[in-house]
Every structure is written in structure tokens, then in C-alpha cells.
Amino acid sequence: MAKLVSKTYGDALFELAVESNQLDSFLEEAKGVLSVLESHDELNRLMNHPKIVKEEKIATLENIFKGRIKDELVGLLRMLVEKDHYNDTTAVLEYFIEQAKEYKHIGTAYVTTVMTLGEIQKANLVEKLLATTDYVEFEMHYEVDPSLIGGMVIRIKDRVVDSSIKSKLATL
């Protein structure tokens, strides 16, 4: 159910952003809202409290966001509360962000290595990824895992390239 909700609302927001030619600003504001929601547990507890009426929840969201983000995003948050889908807000915003990044050909890569990569190594890796994919830009996430022994693991969406010694030993 949550996937259907996130897709429905996320697609609607995406179409609105593209049609109004404001995808970049919608994307930045959606990231900001997501950051606020993820970093304030008190807000989420308040919004999920069963004894607080919808009108109060909507007023709270409007006090926080109105005038700081686009009215369309405030309207989306309001609608999610009205339709009892506030719990899906994070999923909706994440879905929208992924759609927007895909539309702009921005890839997200998760790279796991044995030790921290230097700036030159990171630049070479990004250059190689750009050359081998259809993306024009990458959002990189690096992680260190000494259990790999050597090599690296790169994950882009559902594709994984595992050149680690750990996996090669496991294959043997």
C-alpha cells in the first residue's frame, strides 16, 4: 500500500514540477523537507498521535513550512495528513527525489572499499562511472569495510559490481 501511495503522490508532484518548469527548486525543497522530517522525531510523534485532530496537524505543518517552501509542497503535506497518509510522507518525498534525479540523469553510487579513497582516486572513479553509464553526474556515497580484504563494491540502483577479494575467495 505504501508503495502505491508514494508512487501516486510522488508522480503527481514530479509531473507538476516538470510542467511548471521548476524541477530544480522542487527537488531542493523536497530534500529540505525530508531532512527536517528525518531529524525531528518530536514532529513525527506529534503528527502520528491519534488524539491530535487533523486540523491541528495541518496547522502545525503550515506553521513550520508555509512561506519557506513552495505552496505546492505545503499542499502535498496537507493532503497527506487529510487522507491519513502522513506516515508515507518520507516515502513520497524519496520517490519524488529519485524520479527527479533520474530525469536529470543524476546517478547515485554506493562505493565500499577496504580503505578510504583519496581525492584523485574518487575523481578517477567518478570519471570511469560517467564514461560507462548514461548519467551526466553522480551523487557518491563512500563506505569503508576492511572485511573486503581488497578491491571494491559499487552499487548503482539494482546493479552491483563486486570486485572485492572477499567475494572472489567465496567464489573459489
Side-chain angles (χ1 to χ4, degrees), residues 26-36 93 97 101 139:
F26 270 74
L27 179 59
E28 289 309 309
E29 289 182 5
K31 286 179 181 179
V33 171
L34 189 60
S35 173
V36 167
L93 293 173
I97 291 168
K101 288 192 324 189
E139 200 175 89

Side-chain angles (χ1 to χ4, degrees), residues 149-160:
I149 304 170
M152 68 175 60
V153 178
I154 302 171
R155 183 173 62 84
I156 301 170
K157 290 175 84 171
D158 60 348
R159 232 173 48 189
V160 177

Side-chain angles (χ1 to χ4, degrees), residues 126-170:
V126 170
E127 187 178 312
K128 192 82 102 178
L129 289 174
L130 290 172
T132 58
T133 62
D134 294 333
Y135 295 111
V136 295
E137 187 182 327
F138 266 100
E139 200 175 89
M140 302 296 289
H141 300 274
Y142 296 99
E143 185 181 331
V144 175
D145 181 2
S147 74
L148 295 179
I149 304 170
M152 68 175 60
V153 178
I154 302 171
R155 183 173 62 84
I156 301 170
K157 290 175 84 171
D158 60 348
R159 232 173 48 189
V160 177
V161 177
D162 188 348
S163 64
S164 68
I165 306 251
K166 179 180 178 180
S167 69
K168 290 180 180 175
L169 286 173

Side-chain angles (χ1 to χ4, degrees), residues 116-126 142:
T116 306
L117 296 177
E119 292 305 313
I120 294 172
Q121 292 169 315
K122 288 179 181 179
N124 289 339
L125 178 61
V126 170
Y142 296 99

Side-chain angles (χ1 to χ4, degrees), residues 1-116:
M1 179 72 170
K3 192 168 188 172
L4 178 62
V5 170
S6 64
K7 181 173 175 16
T8 303
Y9 288 100
D11 282 340
L13 184 61
F14 177 74
E15 288 175 25
L16 176 66
V18 171
E19 285 174 11
S20 64
N21 213 14
Q22 298 180 19
L23 184 62
D24 291 334
S25 58
F26 270 74
L27 179 59
E28 289 309 309
E29 289 182 5
K31 286 179 181 179
V33 171
L34 189 60
S35 173
V36 167
L37 295 178
E38 288 176 342
S39 63
H40 291 86
D41 290 334
E42 314 84 45
L43 176 62
N44 289 321
R45 279 196 302 274
L46 176 107
M47 297 303 290
N48 289 317
H49 198 284
K51 291 189 178 180
I52 298 176
V53 294
K54 289 181 186 179
E55 290 77 22
E56 285 184 49
K57 293 176 182 181
I58 291 168
T60 301
L61 286 175
E62 287 180 346
N63 285 337
I64 294 170
F65 294 112
K66 197 160 184 94
R68 293 182 178 91
I69 62 172
K70 296 199 176 310
D71 289 339
E72 294 87 349
L73 279 169
V74 174
L76 172 72
L77 295 173
R78 176 188 198 114
M79 189 181 311
L80 289 168
V81 171
E82 287 172 353
K83 303 283 185 184
D84 293 322
H85 291 302
Y86 178 80
N87 286 337
D88 300 317
T89 303
T90 301
V92 169
L93 293 173
E94 287 173 346
Y95 180 85
F96 166 75
I97 291 168
E98 285 305 311
Q99 289 295 102
K101 288 192 324 189
E102 199 63 35
Y103 182 80
K104 294 173 55 108
H105 298 288
I106 299 172
T108 304
Y110 297 89
V111 179
T112 307
T113 56
V114 176
M115 52 195 237
T116 306

